Amino acid sequence: MSDAAPRWRLWTRPDLAVEDRMFRALAVLRVVVLVNAVALNVYRADNFRHPVAGIFCVVVMIAWTAYAVWAYAEPLRRTAWLLVADLGVAAGLILLSPLVKGETLRATIPGFWVMGAMLAWAIHWHARGGLAAAVVVAAADLSIRQDLTQGNYGNVFLLVVGGPIVGFMAGSLSRMEDQRDAALRQAVAGEERARLARAVHDGVLQVLSLVQRRGTELERLSPEFAELGRLAGEQETALRSLIRQQDRRGDPGEADLAAALEEMTRGHSVPVTLSTPGVPVALPGDVAAELTAAVRACLDNVATHVGADAPAWVLLDDTGGTVVVSVRDEGPGIPADRLAVAEEEGRLGVAQSIVARLRELGGDADLDSGPHGTEWELRVPRPPTLGS
């Protein structure tokens, strides 16, 4: 995607709520360990061979803590670059400690302050991230030691064990939030289906059945009554079929998203170039249906705003944990304020047909639009019981 184009990140993943809460707790911890580190460095000021450099390192810790608390507060800013820089600052201050304090140092300048970066990796990248950050911090600490004492070994052991454990807990909480959200959506959808079925059965279906029956009885008066009865019968059949389809979605089974997209794009008015993996992309039936409907809505927008003959490209990618569908065209793009204005005016086509569908699936949508064209990137997490 082009970095110069206006972009809207539509964060809808339920596990982000867990991550947000954990990063808020980490912000408090960062301040606590910073106060501890500053107090210890002031208390041990006579240990500094280069006091000015020591003051500079303490100022860097204070400034970076303030920046990190601000940066991690917003999901959009939690990029890989931020986490790598966070870990780099922590490891760098450890490596600078013997130059500032002398080779016979007993304690590094940052001390426990480095746990902030390690825990950020654990929260964001779970067990693997926690282990990787812990290994980097531990390696930096061991590299400046002349001797491996019992105290140094204990610190390294706690880092290497604590990072993955915190990461595992963060991942478990995120998965639990996803499962709770999915169960809640399924329960709400089931209740709504039952309510609509009762309303339709008690009202619309009975009226259509009555019209069909009376139209047949009044055929001798006018052929138009017979035609009205026939149309009512067709609509009753179609509506009953739709209700049965909705009921089946309560027990979706599995569906091949690649095949569903191929069938949908083959019949769409827009000429579509579809690229899918060479193997089936299995998803729960309702997830595949909703994601296919969201892609169809994207293509409908191409037909409406770019032209029925405008080419479009659909790319399906299965990363194992996430299924990503990209829909791209070469139209004039969407003005930066069009979506906001449309939503204020009550025209919720994009919000409901694309964004709301992804929200209900626990996924998110990324829109990149400009003079180069428009690209939707739709992502849904793969349920842990499916795929790899």
Side-chain angles (χ1 to χ4, degrees):
M1 293 186 181
S2 172
D3 292 335
R7 304 179 67 176
W8 299 268
R9 173 70 69 178
L10 305 169
W11 292 94
T12 55
R13 288 172 23 223
D15 60 316
L16 274 177
V18 174
E19 188 174 289
D20 286 341
R21 290 193 294 269
M22 297 187 74
F23 272 115
R24 285 196 294 269
L26 179 58
V28 176
L29 179 61
R30 282 182 182 272
V31 174
V32 172
V33 293
L34 173 66
V35 172
N36 177 73
V38 172
L40 288 178
N41 280 288
V42 171
Y43 178 74
R44 300 168 181 166
D46 56 340
N47 292 340
F48 285 96
R49 176 180 295 179
H50 303 287
V52 175
I55 294 173
F56 174 78
C57 290
V58 171
V59 170
V60 168
M61 284 195 296
I62 295 173
W64 184 259
T65 299
Y67 175 76
V69 169
W70 170 82
Y72 283 110
E74 171 58 46
L76 277 172
R77 295 192 289 264
R78 295 173 201 157
T79 63
W81 289 109
L82 173 63
L83 282 109
V84 170
D86 195 8
L87 187 60
V89 171
L93 287 171
I94 293 175
L95 297 174
L96 284 174
S97 295
L99 301 177
V100 177
K101 285 191 165 186
E103 295 181 357
T104 59
L105 85 164
R106 289 176 297 174
T108 62
I109 296 173
F112 294 122
W113 182 83
V114 298
M115 74 170 59
M118 183 194 72
L119 293 179
W121 277 57
I123 293 171
H124 192 71
W125 284 322
H126 303 157
R128 292 180 181 178
L131 177 60
V135 168
V136 170
V137 173
D141 188 81
L142 290 177
S143 69
I144 64 173
R145 305 290 181 178
Q146 294 182 342
D147 300 310
L148 180 60
T149 65
Q150 184 176 356
N152 295 337
Y153 168 78
N155 291 336
V156 170
F157 178 79
L158 289 176
L159 284 172
V160 176
V161 172
I165 289 179
V166 173
F168 174 78
M169 293 176 61
S172 298
L173 288 173
S174 296
R175 288 189 294 271
M176 289 172 59
E177 183 69 12
D178 286 337
Q179 293 168 0
R180 185 198 65 82
D181 187 76
L184 180 60
R185 290 198 310 271
Q186 186 174 2
V188 171
E191 293 176 359
E192 182 66 11
R193 283 195 299 270
R195 186 188 67 81
L196 289 176
R198 288 194 300 270
V200 170
H201 183 271
D202 293 342
V204 179
L205 287 178
Q206 290 187 7
V207 172
L208 289 176
S209 179
L210 176 62
V211 171
Q212 179 187 19
R213 186 171 62 254
R214 295 300 301 273
T216 303
E217 295 173 355
L218 297 175
E219 180 179 4
R220 63 181 181 276
L221 299 179
S222 173
E224 294 181 356
F225 287 112
E227 178 66 11
L228 180 62
R230 185 186 65 80
L231 293 175
E234 291 178 355
Q235 293 302 311
E236 180 190 8
T237 301
L239 190 54
R240 289 187 185 276
S241 176
L242 180 61
I243 293 174
R244 287 194 296 270
Q245 292 175 15
Q246 287 291 100
D247 289 339
R248 284 197 296 269
R249 285 180 57 188
D251 183 17
E254 291 187 16
D256 180 8
L257 178 61
L261 289 177
E262 183 177 357
E263 180 180 358
M264 184 272 292
T265 54
R266 190 187 306 119
H268 203 280
S269 61
V270 171
V272 180
T273 301
L274 175 65
S275 177
T276 63
V279 295
V281 180
L283 286 175
D286 56 343
V287 176
E290 286 298 289
L291 192 51
T292 301
V295 174
R296 182 187 294 108
C298 295
L299 296 176
D300 291 343
N301 286 337
V302 175
T304 301
H305 301 291
V306 184
D309 298 329
W313 291 263
V314 176
L315 171 64
L316 171 61
D317 185 23
D318 184 2
T319 65
T322 306
V323 175
V324 183
V325 183
S326 300
V327 184
R328 180 173 63 87
D329 65 66
E330 295 182 343
I334 302 175
D337 59 344
R338 175 181 291 179
L339 298 181
V341 171
E343 188 168 354
E344 291 177 357
E345 294 176 352
R347 294 182 286 112
L348 303 178
V350 170
Q352 293 298 328
S353 61
I354 301 175
V355 180
R357 278 192 167 98
L358 270 295
R359 180 184 299 115
E360 291 174 358
L361 298 177
D364 57 77
D366 191 10
L367 173 62
D368 176 22
S369 186
H372 59 280
T374 297
E375 180 175 0
W376 280 97
E377 188 173 276
L378 314 177
R379 290 177 296 274
V380 294
R382 177 183 293 282
T385 56
L386 290 174
S388 57

